[in-house]
């Protein structure tokens, strides 16, 4: 509807900060990595110049080793505006970047998929805008490749062809039950929280956010990674958390397929084949390492113990995005998605689990970005009717309740931050 379209566009107008988009003015006042990808998908409809600007701002902060930081800090904000802030991360200067410009961890590499979507939209508008968008792709392509090389190289801590995350924040699904088993080995030093005050609780409801125990572990893991200058060499011996996430790695695989398309547009045909091969390798590794035949879905693997988590989380459905996923795995994921454990729209966690929490972040609520990825998966496998049902359910949810960060999985009530950028951006894509 025109009303929803206009409200979405106005959220993106309000949250634009000159050269980047903030996810939300109060709760997340800097630039976040995977948010930038989802946001670009929506900006492509209303302001493609800003979509490219936002992606560029993010990749201008790329580290020399190829990692793209999960937050790029806005120097205009104060340390007290967000925790953990720039000084806490203590990232040294690199390239032409000043010290304290970013964090040292990553987020899911959805940017190639986003760049390809923005390009496609531009190309539909004629030769002139296609030409401009192609120039943006030219700038981004080597940087996107460096990001993939970092994740499939230094971050293959398990040695099986998948990227490990070394902090729950890297998944984007911060407090998902997927990490509970691996986090049980991470000390929760609550005294850290009397030294460092949580800022999120001052600007949102405690019941909607991760707990203090979660935060004590999050802070401890930053301190641990920071102590080794964010190096990944020998990390398993000195860092308590390393996990292979099915959703992160599915996005890693989808990124290779988007890079194949981009390489094609840039006239790099040979590279396109390499990207498609790499996508196949990632898909095979996800199937070999993260599939649980008993639950019939994908699960996070603790690299330190080799064990799959028992929790059934939305991240275990996201490999549906991969076109080369074998048919019997596709069927398994679809069965799980259609079962009473999930259903439409898909919640972040198994509805039948004893610790399903309707309010708390990634432990139950419905998130539009996760559902958007699943809708892509349905379309990739030719399930048009189901994709359309999911699209309609998302549009209804946002239309009735507003552009919230996430939603109560039973009542649809908006939770977390209002006027949340990726919800608005993806609403535009779902309406278009
Ligand atoms: C937060 O601040 O909650 C973010 O998700 C961490 O990146």
């Amino acid at each position: 509807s025109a009303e929803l379209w206009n409200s979405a566009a106005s959220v993106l107008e309000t949250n634009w900060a000159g050269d980047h988009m903030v996810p939300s003015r109060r709760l997340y006042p800097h630039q976040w990595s995977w948010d930038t990808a989802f946001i670009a998908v929506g900006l492509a409809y209303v302001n493609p110049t800003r979509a490219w600007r936002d992606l560029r701002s993010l990749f201008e902060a790329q580290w020399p080793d190829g990692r793209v930081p999960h937050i790029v800090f806005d120097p205009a904000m104060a340390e007290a505006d967000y925790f953990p802030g720039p000084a806490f991360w203590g990232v040294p200067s690199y390239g032409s970047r000043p010290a304290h410009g970013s964090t040292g961890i990553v987020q899911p590499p959805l940017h190639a998929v986003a760049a390809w979507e923005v390009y496609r939209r531009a190309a539909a508008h004629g030769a002139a805008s296609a030409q401009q968008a192609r120039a943006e792709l030219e700038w981004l392509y080597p940087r996107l490749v460096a990001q993939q090389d970092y994740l499939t190289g230094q971050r293959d801590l398990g040695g099986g062809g998948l990227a490990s995350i070394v902090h729950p924040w890297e998944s984007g699904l911060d407090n998902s039950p997927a990490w509970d088993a691996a986090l049980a080995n991470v000390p929760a030093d609550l005294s850290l929280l009397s030294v460092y005050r949580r800022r999120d609780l001052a600007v949102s409801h405690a019941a909607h956010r991760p707990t203090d125990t979660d935060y004590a572990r999050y802070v401890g893991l930053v301190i641990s990674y920071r102590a080794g200058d964010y190096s990944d060499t020998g990390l398993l011996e000195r860092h308590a958390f390393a996990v292979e996430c099915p959703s992160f790695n599915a996005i890693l695989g989808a990124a290779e397929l988007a890079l194949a398309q981009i390489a094609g547009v840039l006239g790099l045909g040979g590279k396109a084949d390499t990207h498609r091969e790499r996508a196949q390798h990632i898909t095979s590794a996800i199937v070999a390492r993260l599939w649980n035949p008993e639950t019939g879905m994908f699960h996070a693997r603790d690299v330190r113990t080799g064990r799959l988590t028992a929790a059934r989380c939305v991240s275990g459905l996201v490999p549906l995005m991969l076109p080369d996923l074998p048919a019997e795995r596709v069927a398994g994921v679809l069965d799980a998605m259609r079962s009473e454990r999930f259903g439409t729209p898909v919640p972040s966690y198994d509805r039948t689990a004893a610790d399903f929490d309707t309010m708390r972040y990634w432990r139950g609520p419905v998130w539009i970005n996760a559902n958007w990825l699943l809708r892509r998966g349905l379309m990739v496998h030719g399930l048009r009717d189901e994709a359309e049902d999911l699209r309609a359910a998302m549009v209804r949810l946002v239309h009735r309740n507003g552009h919230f960060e996430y939603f109560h999985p039973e009542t649809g009530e908006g939770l977390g931050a209002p006027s949340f950028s990726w919800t608005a951006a993806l609403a535009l894509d779902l309406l278009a």
Side-chain angles (χ1 to χ4, degrees), residues 85-143:
F88 186 88
W89 288 89
V91 167
S93 103
Y94 52 92
S96 60
R97 310 290 300 179
H100 298 183
S102 73
T103 64
I105 61 171
V106 299
Q107 265 186 337
L110 191 68
H111 316 91
V113 169
W116 177 246
E117 291 299 324
V118 185
Y119 171 81
R120 280 206 315 152
R121 192 116 318 276
H125 277 114
S129 68
Q131 198 49 37
Q132 262 180 338
R134 189 179 181 283
E136 297 289 347
L137 289 183
E138 240 158 35
W139 186 89
L140 273 170
Y141 176 75
R143 292 164 172 86

Side-chain angles (χ1 to χ4, degrees), residues 27-28 32 70-71 82-83 107 169 174 209-210 215 361:
L27 193 53
Y28 309 108
W32 262 258
H70 106 292
I71 302 175
Y82 178 74
F83 175 78
Q107 265 186 337
W169 286 336
D174 303 0
R209 295 288 304 172
Y215 252 79
Y361 219 43

